[in-house]
Amino acid sequence: MLFKPKSILTFSILMAFSVQSFSATETLNDYPRDQLRKFTEVYSAIKSNYVDNIDDNKLFNDAIAGALAGLDPHSTYLDYEGLKDFGIATGGEFGGLGLEVGMEDGLVKVVSPIEDTPAYRAGIKSGDLIVQLDGVSVKGLTIGDAIKKMRGKPDTQIKLSISRKGETGLVDITLTRAIIKNPSVKYKLTDAGYPYVRITQFQERTGEDLAKTLMTIREKTVGPIKGLVLDLRNNPGGVVSSAVAVSAAFLKKDALVVYSDGRSDDSKMRLFANPRNYSGPNPEDDYLKALPPEMKTVPMVVLVNAGSASASEIVSGALQDHQRAKVLGTQSFGKGTIQTLLPLSNGSAVKLTIARYFTPSGRSIQAKGITPDIVVEDPAISPEENAKLRREANLSNHLVNPKDSDAGTKSPAQAIVVEKSEPKTQFADTNQFEAGTDKDFQYSQAINLLKGIAVAKVKAK
């Protein structure tokens, strides 16, 4: 989850200055001399003895990237191109394959495929590990480098070699790049009186888009809205102010949505269902003020699964804690940390974890996730397979949950074994069901819950 300079502008600016400004009283004595000497010796050894001549810029960028990667799975270095790509992604339109990705032990991990994109249609799933791009190993690449290789001109092709739990060996998939337009809010009126709203990612304008969607639903629904399904499955998170806005659309004004705790005073924040925390200090900018009052009281079910992370967990946790909605599905991802972008003087930036966040009742989601009120398995994934899906707790160097009695600072690294065998050309089942329809078992059970019908936790065979 990312703090962006909008409703939390002052915080972001202060954090940015904290890494760019140095006090005149600071001296070399403030830095670890022995460690700096060690780094200098390694640098000298590489420059003098490595088989190829290494450019200084690459060497130092790799050193910075390595230092950040060793902190936790979500801190990273973004060069100018990576920063530009990041901004495009949070803005809602970019070119490529339609994947939200991260790094795990040197491999590219799929956080979530974006609906209606080449990756989604090819059957790529949350938790898949991309091992090779066009036959070249991704080991040694930064996440920015990997994203650059996956993006390109529309209608050009790239081959991904993927490792998936439960599959023997690697699977080769050839995708055709396309312009990815990723509207963050979608809706269906599949069941009269019980609208379905899906948020695919928390982008900068998600709160405004949700407000427009809810107004459209009200206009198109004949009679009262009897219940609403909010689908956050496979939503990897995004901008924190948008998570506050989505929560505020359904909570009473000034209800606590989330609070955070970190080392600095600036990272200790409490965010409320108030326009100051999602749209700014000007009351005229409150895009939620025109929502029908019934949105604060309509019965709700929130859908989550292992791909629901970060900002998705803030929203589901807030609605659950305030008893505003029932959460249905499977255990969420468990990313309970907050990142901020810290600009550097050369046009690059550091995305750094600066705090853990907590739900209104004080629960930490980190490495645990949201536990649904009603567990309903995805029939396409067995309970055993669901338990093995990669979550925050499986990532190397993930920060531990401070609520654990044996909590230290970080988890031990966990090695990932990729079976070596001849690649296959495709997964056996590439069909992705359409969410929010009668073919969507978890959605159907959410509707049953809203209607007072018994919920089936497992689909009958």
Side-chain angles (χ1 to χ4, degrees), residues 306-366:
S308 306
S310 193
S312 298
E313 294 170 301
I314 282 184
V315 174
S316 53
L319 297 180
Q320 188 180 54
D321 277 6
H322 287 291
Q323 299 182 357
R324 178 64 188 85
K326 292 291 186 183
V327 177
L328 183 148
T330 54
Q331 195 80 7
S332 65
F333 185 80
K335 181 181 178 291
T337 58
I338 296 173
Q339 286 70 44
T340 191
L341 283 178
L342 307 179
L344 303 178
S345 58
N346 65 349
S348 61
V350 169
K351 181 160 74 82
L352 194 67
T353 298
I354 48 92
R356 290 178 175 88
Y357 75 76
F358 300 83
T359 71
S361 68
R363 290 183 293 158
S364 172
I365 304 306
Q366 177 59 21

Side-chain angles (χ1 to χ4, degrees), residues 204-353:
E204 292 174 356
R205 295 182 57 86
T206 295
E208 297 166 78
D209 292 343
L210 175 66
K212 293 175 184 177
T213 297
L214 293 177
M215 293 295 289
T216 300
I217 287 173
R218 177 61 279 176
E219 292 168 2
K220 291 186 175 182
T221 302
V222 178
I225 296 177
K226 302 173 185 177
L228 184 145
V229 177
L230 178 64
D231 190 353
L232 300 179
R233 291 173 298 178
N234 296 322
N235 181 322
V239 181
V240 64
S241 57
S242 294
V244 175
V246 170
S247 302
F250 305 109
L251 293 174
K252 293 180 181 179
K253 186 178 179 182
D254 294 324
L256 179 63
V257 174
V258 64
Y259 69 91
S260 63
D261 188 25
R263 291 175 59 200
S264 70
D265 290 339
D266 294 322
S267 66
K268 303 176 191 298
M269 303 191 68
R270 296 173 69 84
L271 300 178
F272 299 88
N274 186 295
R276 290 191 303 273
N277 290 154
Y278 59 80
S279 65
N282 188 352
E284 297 304 314
D285 294 333
D286 183 9
Y287 44 78
L288 297 180
K289 64 182 179 181
L291 287 180
E294 64 190 304
M295 293 303 168
K296 304 289 186 181
T297 57
V298 62
M300 287 181 64
V301 175
V302 179
L303 296 176
V304 299
N305 65 4
S308 306
S310 193
S312 298
E313 294 170 301
I314 282 184
V315 174
S316 53
L319 297 180
Q320 188 180 54
D321 277 6
H322 287 291
Q323 299 182 357
R324 178 64 188 85
K326 292 291 186 183
V327 177
L328 183 148
T330 54
Q331 195 80 7
S332 65
F333 185 80
K335 181 181 178 291
T337 58
I338 296 173
Q339 286 70 44
T340 191
L341 283 178
L342 307 179
L344 303 178
S345 58
N346 65 349
S348 61
V350 169
K351 181 160 74 82
L352 194 67
T353 298

